[in-house]
C-alpha cells in the first residue's frame, strides 16, 4: 500500500541487511573506522556488540566489501551454534575452499587451518574471520577454540583477524 503511495522501488524496513539501505550515521561511521583500524593494523581480534536490529551484519558486510585484495580470504560465519570440532572443520573448509570428510578430527582441522593461514601470510595476505551472532555460541569449548586460533602468527604478527559480532550479551558474558 505505502510502496505505491510513496513510489518506492521496494518495501522499506525489512529485516534484512541490504547494503542499498545503509545509512552512515555518526555511530556507524565511528564503528566502521575502529574496525578498519583493527584490520588495517592486523590486530588479532575485534568485537562489535549491540542490540538486535542495529545493523551489525550490514556494517560487517560493508567493511568486508571495502577491503582490498590483501585481506583474503574473508569468511563470514552466520550460524556459530556448533560444537568445537564442527566449528573447526567448518572454518578449515571455508578458509581452504576444500570440503573435508565428515569424520575430520580436531587435530586435522587445526592442522589445515594453521597450514593455510601460514601460507596465506607468507603470500602477503591477511585472513578475516567474522563470527556473526557470536552471542549464540553457548559451547564454551567452541569459544575457547576460536580464542586458541588467535594464537597463530607469522613473523610475530597475527595471521588472521577474528571479528566477533553479536548482541550485548556477548560482552556481558551472559553465557
Amino acid at each position: 500500500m505505502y510502496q505505491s503511495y510513496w513510489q518506492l522501488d521496494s518495501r522499506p524496513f525489512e529485516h534484512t541487511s541490504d547494503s542499498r539501505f545503509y545509512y552512515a550515521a555518526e555511530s556507524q561511521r565511528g564503528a566502521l573506522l575502529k574496525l578498519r583500524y583493527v584490520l588495517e593494523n592486523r590486530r588479532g581480534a575485534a568485537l562489535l556488540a549491540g542490540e538486535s536490529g542495529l545493523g551489525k551484519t550490514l556494517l560487517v558486510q560493508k567493511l568486508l566489501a571495502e577491503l582490498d585484495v590483501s585481506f583474503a580470504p574473508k569468511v563470514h560465519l552466520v550460524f556459530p551454534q556448533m560444537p568445537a570440532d564442527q566449528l573447526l572443520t567448518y572454518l578449515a573448509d571455508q578458509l581452504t575452499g576444500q570440503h573435508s570428510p565428515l569424520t575430520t578430527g580436531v587435530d586435522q582441522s587445526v592442522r589445515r587451518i594453521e597450514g593455510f593461514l601460514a601460507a596465506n601470510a607468507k603470500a602477503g595476505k591477511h585472513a578475516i574471520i567474522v563470527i556473526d551472532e557470536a552471542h549464540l555460541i553457548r559451547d564454551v569449548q567452541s569459544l575457547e577454540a576460536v580464542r586458541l586460533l588467535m594464537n597463530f602468527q607469522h613473523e610475530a604478527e597475527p595471521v588472521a583477524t577474528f571479528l566477533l559480532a553479536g548482541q550485548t550479551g556477548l560482552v556481558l558474558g551472559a553465557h
Side-chain angles (χ1 to χ4, degrees):
M1 163 172 110
Y2 53 79
Q3 201 170 336
S4 61
Y5 178 80
W6 292 103
Q7 301 173 7
L8 301 173
D9 294 332
S10 60
R11 293 177 10 179
F13 311 113
E14 292 296 306
H15 189 69
T16 61
S17 54
D18 188 338
S19 62
R20 294 177 301 157
F21 301 114
Y22 176 76
Y23 174 72
E26 186 177 338
S27 59
Q28 282 79 6
R29 286 192 313 267
L32 200 57
L33 282 171
K34 289 173 185 171
L35 292 173
R36 284 190 72 85
Y37 175 85
V38 168
L39 298 179
E40 290 171 357
N41 288 284
R42 305 199 189 246
R43 302 291 191 227
L47 175 66
L48 178 63
E51 294 301 321
S52 177
L54 290 179
K56 295 177 296 296
T57 299
L58 183 57
L59 193 68
V60 166
Q61 290 171 342
K62 180 160 179 50
L63 175 69
L64 294 177
E66 290 178 353
L67 295 173
D68 67 46
V69 295
S70 68
F71 294 97
K74 301 169 193 161
V75 174
H76 191 171
L77 171 63
V78 295
F79 191 90
Q81 292 180 301
M82 298 180 228
D85 59 335
Q86 292 176 9
L87 180 64
L88 290 169
T89 300
Y90 179 85
L91 289 176
D93 289 352
Q94 294 299 305
L95 286 167
T96 64
Q98 299 172 350
H99 184 66
S100 62
L102 295 175
T103 57
T104 301
V106 170
D107 61 326
Q108 294 167 317
S109 295
V110 171
R111 234 187 318 278
R112 287 175 61 214
I113 293 169
E114 184 176 27
F116 175 83
L117 290 175
N120 195 54
K122 286 179 187 171
K125 297 191 181 285
H126 186 76
I128 309 297
I129 301 168
V130 177
I131 301 179
D132 214 337
E133 305 293 343
H135 63 280
L136 295 176
I137 300 176
R138 299 289 184 218
D139 181 19
V140 175
Q141 291 177 334
S142 295
L143 204 50
E144 185 66 10
V146 170
R147 186 191 70 77
L148 291 171
L149 292 176
M150 291 179 199
N151 290 329
F152 292 151
Q153 296 184 1
H154 175 71
E155 296 179 358
E157 293 286 328
V159 292
T161 297
F162 289 80
L163 172 54
L164 279 66
Q167 293 180 21
T168 53
L170 177 63
V171 178
L172 300 174
H175 296 290

